[in-house]
C-alpha cells in the first residue's frame, strides 16, 4: 500500500468513529459522560473491554514474545481468569452497592480523605504512564510503516492522534467509548484472523494442520515448571496474573468505569464473566499468530526488523503484514487493527482520567450544575495535553528508560491493591493521614527488593510477582498504622 492509501484508510476509520460519537453523544451530560446513564448493554461492554484490555501492546508485542518464551504468557492469562472471578464476586457487588462514579470513592468511605486521594493519585499516575506508553508503541509502529517515509515528525503523529481521540470522546465520553471499543475490538480480531488465514495459506496449511505440526509444537510450550528463577516459571506467571487482573482491571477506573455503565450488578457480572472467557481465547489466538509469524519468517527468510541497532521482534507482524506481498486484504486489516489497538486503550484512558480527576480531585458532583459541564470539558482538554506531552517525552528517552517507566506503572498499582485488600478483608480503621506514606514506602521498598544484586538473590528474576509483593508491603504498612 502507498502512503496516500494508508492515510485515506486512517481518515475513513476516524470518520466512522466520529459518526458514532455524533449519534451517541447527543446527550452531552456528565451522567452520560461518566456512566452512560447506566444503560449500556452488557454484551457490548464485554466485547469492547477485550480491545481495551489487549491494547497496542498485545497487538504488537505479544506475537513477538514467541521467540523468547513460546506460549508461557498463557500461564498469566489463566491467572487473569481467576482474577476476574475475584472481581465478579468481591468488587463488583461492592461498587454497585455504594453506587460510586469513581471506584476510589470507596476508599474515602472506608478510611478517609487522604486514602481516597492517595488511591486516585496512584491511578492517575499509573494510567497516564501506561496509556502513554501503549500509544507510544503503536505510534512508533505507524511511524515505521508510513509517516517517516512522508516526512511527518513523530510529535505531529502524536498530536494528531490525541486530537482525533478528543474529537470523538468530547461529548459522549464513556457512552461513546462503549460503542467505539466494540468496533475497535472487532477490527483487531479481524486483522489477526486474516493474518493467520493468509500466512497458513502461504505455508500451505489449514489452521488445524498448523496447530498439529511439529514446527508449531516446537514454539508453543505453555507450561514451565523447571526453573523457579526464570521469568517464565508457572507460579510466577499464574499468581502474578491473578493480581494483575485484580489490580489493573478491578482497581482501575478505566476498566471498571465500563462495568459501571451496565444496568445493574447482575448484568455487570455477566459482562465480566464473558470478557474473562474471551480474554483466554483471544490471547491464545494472538500467540498462535506469533508462532506462525516466526515460522513464516524462518521459511521465507524474512529478517526481524532492526531499529537503532536493536532487533525488534515486536515489529515482525508489521513487517510481514505490510512488506511481504501477502496481499492488500492483510495490509488493510493490519492498519485498521493497529489503529484500533492504539485507540481502544487511549480513548478509554482519556475518558477515565477525565472522570477520576473531575470526581476525585475537583469534587465535580458537589459543584453548581452550571459549572459541572464546562469544568469537565476543560479537564478533558487538559488530560489530552498531558498525554501528548508524556508520549513525546517517551520518544526522547532511551528505550531502556522507557521500559523502566512502564515497569514503574506496574509498581504504582501495588498501593491500590494493598488499600482495597485491607479495606475488604479486615474490619480495621487506619490513621488515614499516614496512608500516603505507607503507599510511597511500599513502592520504594518493592523497587529496592526487585533490584537487589545477584550476590543476594542469585539468578532469580522478578516478573509479575512484583505487584502482589508491593500490595503485601502496603497491607503490612496499613496494619502498622491501624487504629487501636
Amino acid at each position: 500500500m502507498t502512503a496516500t492509501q494508508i492515510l485515506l484508510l486512517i481518515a475513513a476509520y476516524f470518520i466512522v468513529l466520529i459518526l458514532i460519537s455524533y449519534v451517541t453523544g447527543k446527550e452531552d451530560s456528565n451522567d452520560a459522560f461518566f456512566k452512560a446513564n447506566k444503560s449500556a448493554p452488557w454484551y457490548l461492554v464485554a466485547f469492547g473491554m477485550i480491545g481495551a484490555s489487549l491494547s497496542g501492546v498485545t497487538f504488537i508485542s505479544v506475537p513477538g514474545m514467541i521467540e523468547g518464551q513460546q506460549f508461557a504468557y498463557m500461564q498469566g492469562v489463566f491467572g487473569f481468569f481467576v482474577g476476574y472471578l475475584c472481581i465478579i464476586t468481591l468488587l463488583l457487588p461492592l461498587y454497585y452497592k455504594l453506587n460510586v462514579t469513581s471506584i476510589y470513592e470507596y476508599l474515602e468511605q472506608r478510611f478517609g480523605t487522604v486514602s481516597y486521594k492517595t488511591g486516585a493519585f496512584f491511578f492517575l499516575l499509573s494510567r497516564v504512564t501506561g496509556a502513554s506508553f501503549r500509544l507510544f508503541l503503536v505510534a512508533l509502529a505507524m511511524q515505521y510503516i508510513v509517516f517517516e517515509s512522508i516526512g511527518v515528525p513523530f510529535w505531529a503523529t502524536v498530536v494528531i492522534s490525541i486530537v482525533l481521540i478528543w474529537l470523538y470522546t468530547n461529548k459522549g465520553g464513556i457512552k461513546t467509548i462503549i460503542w467505539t471499543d466494540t468496533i475497535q475490538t472487532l477490527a483487531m480480531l479481524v486483522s489477526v484472523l486474516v493474518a493467520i488465514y493468509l500466512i497458513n495459506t502461504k505455508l500451505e496449511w489449514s489452521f488445524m494442520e498448523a496447530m498439529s505440526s511439529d514446527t508449531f509444537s516446537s514454539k508453543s510450550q505453555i507450561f514451565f515448571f523447571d526453573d523457579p528463577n526464570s521469568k517464565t516459571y508457572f507460579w510466577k506467571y499464574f499468581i502474578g496474573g491473578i493480581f494483575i487482573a485484580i489490580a489493573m482491571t478491578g482497581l482501575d477506573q478505566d476498566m471498571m468505569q465500563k462495568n459501571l455503565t451496565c444496568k445493574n450488578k447482575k448484568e455487570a457480572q455477566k459482562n465480566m464473566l464473558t470478557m474473562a472467557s474471551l480474554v483466554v481465547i483471544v490471547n491464545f489466538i494472538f500467540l498462535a499468530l506469533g508462532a506462525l509469524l516466526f515460522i513464516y519468517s524462518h521459511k521465507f527468510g524474512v529478517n526481524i526488523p532492526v531499529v537503532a541497532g536493536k532487533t525488534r521482534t515486536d515489529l515482525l507482524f508489521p513487517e510481514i503484514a505490510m512488506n511481504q506481498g501477502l496481499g492488500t486484504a492483510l495490509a488493510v486489516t493490519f492498519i485498521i487493527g493497529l489503529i484500533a489497538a492504539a485507540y481502544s486503550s487511549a480513548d478509554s484512558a482519556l475518558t477515565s482520567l477525565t472522570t477520576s480527576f473531575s470526581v476525585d480531585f475537583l469534587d465535580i458532583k458537589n459543584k453548581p450544575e452550571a459549572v459541572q459541564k464546562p469544568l469537565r470539558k476543560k479537564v478533558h482538554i487538559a488530560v489530552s495535553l498531558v498525554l501528548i506531552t508524556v508520549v513525546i517525552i517517551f520518544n526522547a528517552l532511551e528505550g531502556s528508560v522507557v521500559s523502566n517507566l512502564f515497569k514503574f506503572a506496574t509498581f504504582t498499582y501495588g498501593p491500590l491493591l494493598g488499600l482495597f485488600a485491607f479495606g475488604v478483608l479486615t474490619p480495621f480503621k487506619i490513621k488515614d493521614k499516614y496512608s500516603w506514606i505507607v503507599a510511597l514506602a511500599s513502592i520504594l521498598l518493592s523497587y529496592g527488593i526487585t533490584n537487589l544484586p545477584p550476590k543476594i538473590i542469585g539468578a532469580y528474576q522478578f516478573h509479575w510477582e512484583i505487584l502482589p509483593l508491593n500490595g503485601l508491603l502496603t497491607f503490612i504498612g496499613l496494619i502498622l498504622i491501624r487504629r487501636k
Side-chain angles (χ1 to χ4, degrees):
M1 293 183 70
T2 66
T4 302
Q5 289 172 325
I6 293 173
L7 291 174
L8 288 173
L9 185 61
I10 293 171
Y13 181 83
F14 274 104
I15 288 171
V16 171
L17 295 186
I18 291 169
L19 286 173
I20 292 172
S21 73
Y22 174 76
V23 174
T24 58
K26 289 183 177 179
E27 183 186 347
D28 188 15
S29 67
N30 278 358
D31 195 50
F33 188 95
F34 295 145
K35 288 186 173 182
N37 300 319
K38 282 191 172 292
S39 60
W42 67 267
Y43 44 87
L44 282 182
V45 178
F47 190 69
M49 282 181 70
I50 298 296
S53 65
L54 294 177
S55 78
V57 176
T58 304
F59 189 79
I60 295 295
S61 294
V62 168
M65 289 180 177
I66 297 299
E67 191 82 338
Q69 55 177 272
Q70 300 193 51
F71 277 37
Y73 186 71
M74 283 302 298
Q75 300 172 129
V77 174
F78 296 140
F80 294 164
F81 186 85
V82 176
Y84 293 141
L85 294 181
C86 295
I87 295 169
I88 290 168
T89 55
L90 294 175
L91 294 177
L92 278 178
L94 179 65
Y95 298 149
Y96 269 85
K97 179 181 178 182
L98 298 176
N99 192 31
V100 294
T101 299
S102 165
I103 61 174
Y104 310 113
E105 294 174 86
Y106 164 74
L107 296 175
E108 182 176 38
Q109 297 180 41
R110 181 66 176 82
F111 298 127
T113 303
V114 175
S115 298
Y116 169 37
K117 302 298 184 186
T118 298
F121 170 78
F122 279 114
F123 161 71
L124 291 173
L125 184 60
S126 304
R127 184 49 65 179
V128 166
T129 308
S132 299
F133 186 79
R134 291 181 179 95
L135 189 58
F136 164 74
L137 280 181
V138 180
L140 197 64
M142 291 298 293
Q143 199 75 7
Y144 173 78
I145 292 167
V146 61
F147 291 115
E148 196 70 38
S149 65
I150 60 175
V152 176
F154 182 82
W155 68 265
T157 303
V158 174
V159 170
I160 293 168
S161 298
I162 298 293
V163 167
L164 289 169
I165 293 170
W166 179 86
L167 281 173
Y168 72 79
T169 59
N170 180 43
K171 286 190 175 183
I174 195 66
K175 188 175 181 181
T176 297
I177 296 301
I178 297 301
W179 288 93
T180 56
D181 274 5
T182 300
I183 299 296
Q184 289 165 335
T185 301
L186 181 62
M188 244 193 294
L189 295 181
V190 167
S191 173
V192 173
L193 293 174
V194 167
I196 288 173
Y197 172 77
L198 291 175
I199 290 172
N200 274 330
T201 300
K202 190 76 172 180
L203 293 169
E204 298 181 343
W205 280 339
S206 68
F207 182 74
M208 293 310 299
E209 286 172 340
M211 296 297 104
S212 59
S213 70
D214 292 338
T215 313
F216 189 91
S217 297
S218 69
K219 296 183 179 297
S220 58
Q221 181 180 344
I222 294 177
F223 298 106
F224 293 80
F225 290 99
D226 53 332
D227 183 8
N229 290 322
S230 171
K231 288 184 178 181
T232 59
Y233 184 59
F234 173 80
W235 291 110
K236 285 185 184 182
Y237 247 133
F238 181 73
I239 295 174
I242 294 173
F243 287 100
I244 288 282
I246 293 172
M248 296 189 180
T249 298
L251 307 181
D252 184 285
Q253 176 67 22
D254 189 349
M255 298 299 287
M256 295 314 293
Q257 188 170 353
K258 297 180 179 70
N259 279 280
L260 297 176
T261 63
C262 294
K263 295 177 183 177
N264 51 52
K265 178 187 73 175
K266 186 176 180 180
E267 291 210 349
Q269 288 172 319
K270 285 195 292 185
N271 154 52
M272 278 300 302
L273 185 58
T274 304
M275 180 229 179
S277 304
L278 289 174
V279 161
V280 175
I281 297 168
V282 169
N283 274 286
F284 182 84
I285 292 172
F286 269 94
L287 289 167
L289 169 63
L292 290 171
L293 288 171
F294 281 99
I295 292 169
Y296 183 93
S297 69
H298 293 155
K299 182 170 182 178
F300 295 104
V302 178
N303 294 323
I304 296 172
V306 176
V307 178
K310 183 179 179 182
T311 300
R312 296 293 301 268
T313 58
D314 51 2
L315 291 178
L316 183 59
F317 187 15
E319 172 63 27
I320 290 177
M322 300 301 298
N323 300 325
Q324 296 302 313
L326 286 175
T328 304
L330 178 56
V332 168
T333 55
F334 173 78
I335 291 295
I336 294 176
L338 182 63
I339 302 166
Y343 302 125
S344 61
S345 58
D347 56 14
S348 59
L350 181 57
T351 302
S352 64
L353 288 166
T354 300
T355 300
S356 179
F357 194 82
S358 299
V359 174
D360 299 328
F361 290 95
L362 300 182
D363 195 24
I364 195 170
K365 293 192 295 185
N366 293 321
K367 294 188 180 299
E369 191 170 336
V371 173
Q372 290 183 12
K373 190 193 296 184
L375 180 59
R376 183 251 296 170
K377 288 182 176 293
K378 290 176 183 176
V379 172
H380 197 223
I381 293 172
V383 171
S384 302
L385 293 174
V386 169
L387 289 179
I388 288 171
T389 303
V390 176
V391 174
I392 292 173
I393 289 172
F394 278 174
N395 191 50
L397 297 174
E398 293 294 328
S400 59
V401 177
V402 173
S403 298
N404 286 333
L405 284 171
F406 185 55
K407 185 179 180 181
F408 178 74
T410 66
F411 278 102
T412 55
Y413 278 99
L416 285 171
L417 183 62
L419 281 164
F420 274 85
F422 194 86
V424 172
L425 301 177
T426 79
F428 302 123
K429 296 288 186 179
I430 63 171
K431 297 173 184 176
D432 180 54
K433 64 181 179 179
Y434 299 118
S435 60
W436 72 272
I437 299 175
V438 169
L440 182 60
S442 73
I443 291 175
L444 295 175
L445 280 171
S446 57
Y447 184 80
I449 291 169
T450 57
N451 285 276
L452 289 170
K455 65 180 181 181
I456 296 176
I457 61 174
Y460 189 86
Q461 300 178 67
F462 284 94
H463 195 38
W464 287 357
E465 72 275 22
I466 293 171
L467 179 59
L469 169 65
N470 198 342
L472 178 61
L473 290 171
T474 304
F475 193 97
I476 293 170
L478 294 173
I479 291 175
L480 296 177
I481 63 167
R482 74 186 188 278
R483 293 190 181 278
K484 307 295 184 182

